């Protein structure tokens, strides 16, 4: 073989290697773009469960870097909400047994102790010869979606409750029955709470204390006997500020005592004694 032939073959070999190198570079570039620019927290573990790769996006989700995980300064289980630890360990066993799963939701705390919801999926990985080499896991931050879903559920439950209450109250004719019904509903929802029920008379600019809930009849009778004053059925002046409270539809914190709340029509000494007795 003459030198010219050798040079041609060498040139062809160089071109082939350059083509292979460019192809490899393109593959590495695609791999880098896929992993480094993904919003998902991607991990790969070998068949023994040892961590091999953690994507950079883990930082935006957990507040910890991929280096923190790779060097063992932090691990997944240490971030998991206490009630979810056991089920997460069960899913890790599934991974080691080459089982796939998707959309398993668990809760973690990030570096700032914010509670987050993750949707976790995993599948076994095989090389081009069909040999099992480990498993890949993808974690998607679904915190905002989860919060929205919970709010929608709460709203649906509240609407259902309001519809039920409206339907039941329409069947009540006596005022006393209405207050008894309201007492039962609110004391059931706000346990360990003493509730005062007032009706409003706009024409007279006054309110009437209709009932007191949260105390048994026996205890209420004893308390009223001790303070020497029974406010149930009493009428109190309705000043504009309190009228705004009643009509706001919200819980409002009043910093004064019972006497101030009744525009001083509830005897001060009796009010203070009642406040001490009921805490």
């Amino acid at each position: 073989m003459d030198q010219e032939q050798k040079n041609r073959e060498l040139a062809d070999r160089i071109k082939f290697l350059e083509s292979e190198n460019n192809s490899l570079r393109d593959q590495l570039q695609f791999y880098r773009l896929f992993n480094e620019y993904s919003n998902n927290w991607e991990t790969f573990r070998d068949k023994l469960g040892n961590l091999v790769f953690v994507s950079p996006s883990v930082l935006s989700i957990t507040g910890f870097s991929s280096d923190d995980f790779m060097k063992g300064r932090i691990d997944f289980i240490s971030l998991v909400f206490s009630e979810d630890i056991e089920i997460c360990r069960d899913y890790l066993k599934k991974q080691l047994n080459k089982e796939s799963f998707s959309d398993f939701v668990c809760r973690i705390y990030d570096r700032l102790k914010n509670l987050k919801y993750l949707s976790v999926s995993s599948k076994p990985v095989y090389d081009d010869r069909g040999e099992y080499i480990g498993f890949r896991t993808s974690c998607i931050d679904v915190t905002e979606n989860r919060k929205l879903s919970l709010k929608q559920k709460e709203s649906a439950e509240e609407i259902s409750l309001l519809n039920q209450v409206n339907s039941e109250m329409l069947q009540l004719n006596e005022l006393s029955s209405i207050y008894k019904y309201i007492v039962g509903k609110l004391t059931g929802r706000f346990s360990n709470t003493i509730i005062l029920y007032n009706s409003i008379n706009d024409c007279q600019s006054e309110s009437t204390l209709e009932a007191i809930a949260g105390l048994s009849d026996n205890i209420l009778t004893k308390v009223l006997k001790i303070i020497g004053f029974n406010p149930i059925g009493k009428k109190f002046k309705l000043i504009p500020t309190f009228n705004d409270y009643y009509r706001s539809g919200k819980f409002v914190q009043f910093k004064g005592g019972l006497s101030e709340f009744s525009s001083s029509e509830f005897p001060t000494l009796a009010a203070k004694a009642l406040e001490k007795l009921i805490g």
Side-chain angles (χ1 to χ4, degrees):
M1 181 182 298
D2 59 22
Q3 189 61 38
E4 185 177 347
Q5 179 67 22
K6 289 181 180 180
N7 288 340
R8 282 198 299 270
E9 290 181 357
L10 180 60
D12 290 341
R13 180 62 179 171
I14 290 174
K15 287 181 181 180
F16 173 78
L17 290 176
E18 286 178 344
S19 176
E20 286 288 297
N21 188 51
N22 290 335
S23 176
L24 181 59
R25 186 184 299 113
D26 290 341
Q27 291 179 40
L28 289 173
Q29 178 72 353
F30 177 79
Y31 178 81
R32 187 183 73 83
L33 291 173
F34 180 78
N35 286 286
E36 293 187 14
Y37 290 87
S38 169
N39 291 324
N40 301 347
W41 168 11
E42 305 285 347
T43 64
F44 176 72
R45 292 177 183 269
D46 64 23
K47 55 188 176 182
L48 297 178
N50 299 313
L51 198 58
V52 176
F53 170 80
V54 181
S55 65
S57 54
V58 69
L59 179 64
S60 64
I61 296 176
T62 69
F64 296 96
S65 68
S66 55
D67 202 43
D68 289 327
F69 284 87
M70 292 301 299
K71 293 186 176 178
R73 291 192 288 265
I74 193 74
D75 64 83
F76 178 76
I77 291 295
S78 67
L79 300 178
V80 175
F81 184 65
S82 58
E83 294 180 8
D84 294 348
I85 289 177
E86 286 306 313
I87 192 169
C88 283
R89 285 178 173 153
D90 289 341
Y91 272 90
L92 179 57
K93 291 177 184 177
K94 288 184 178 183
Q95 291 175 314
L96 293 172
N97 289 330
K98 307 178 187 178
E99 296 181 38
S100 297
F101 59 83
S102 60
D103 301 325
F104 156 59
V105 177
C106 71
R107 293 164 291 182
I108 68 165
Y109 285 110
D110 67 12
R111 191 166 201 154
L112 298 178
K113 302 303 179 185
N114 297 311
L115 185 65
K116 292 191 171 183
Y117 289 82
L118 299 183
S119 176
V120 185
S121 300
S122 181
K123 62 171 57 178
V125 177
Y126 299 86
D127 64 16
D128 54 5
R129 294 170 296 179
E131 294 184 8
Y132 172 68
I133 58 174
F135 54 90
R136 175 178 177 168
T137 306
S138 299
C139 298
I140 303 173
D141 185 352
V142 294
T143 304
E144 293 306 316
N145 289 342
R146 193 73 174 189
K147 287 180 178 178
L148 180 59
S149 177
L150 291 173
K151 285 182 179 179
Q152 290 175 334
K153 182 180 178 182
E154 290 173 358
S155 296
E157 290 174 350
E158 288 180 1
I159 291 172
S160 176
L161 178 60
L162 286 173
N163 289 334
Q164 178 188 345
V165 169
N166 287 336
S167 176
E168 292 172 351
M169 287 189 69
L170 286 173
Q171 302 176 38
L172 303 176
N173 298 316
E174 300 290 333
L175 185 61
S176 59
S177 299
I178 293 175
Y179 279 109
K180 186 176 181 180
Y181 176 84
I182 295 173
V183 166
K185 284 294 182 181
L186 287 181
T187 51
R189 185 160 187 179
F190 302 101
S191 59
N192 301 319
T193 303
I194 296 173
I195 304 173
L196 280 64
Y197 298 88
N198 295 277
S199 62
I200 300 173
N201 186 327
D202 287 321
C203 295
Q204 302 294 329
S205 294
E206 63 184 16
S207 65
T208 303
L209 179 60
E210 302 288 353
I212 297 177
L215 293 172
S216 67
D217 292 340
N218 186 37
I219 293 177
L220 180 58
T221 300
K222 288 182 178 179
V223 168
L224 296 180
K225 185 176 181 180
I226 291 172
I227 66 174
F229 178 76
N230 186 355
I232 299 176
K234 298 292 184 183
K235 300 182 185 299
F236 303 95
K237 292 178 181 178
L238 185 61
I239 63 175
T241 300
F242 295 159
N243 192 29
D244 292 340
Y245 287 169
Y246 290 134
R247 298 181 183 284
S248 70
K250 302 176 181 178
F251 283 108
V252 179
Q253 183 178 10
F254 178 71
K255 296 183 179 180
L258 290 173
S259 181
E260 292 88 346
F261 192 74
S262 68
S263 302
S264 299
E265 299 211 16
F266 197 125
T268 303
L269 291 178
K272 291 187 177 299
L274 180 59
E275 289 166 3
K276 287 182 179 180
L277 285 170
I278 65 178

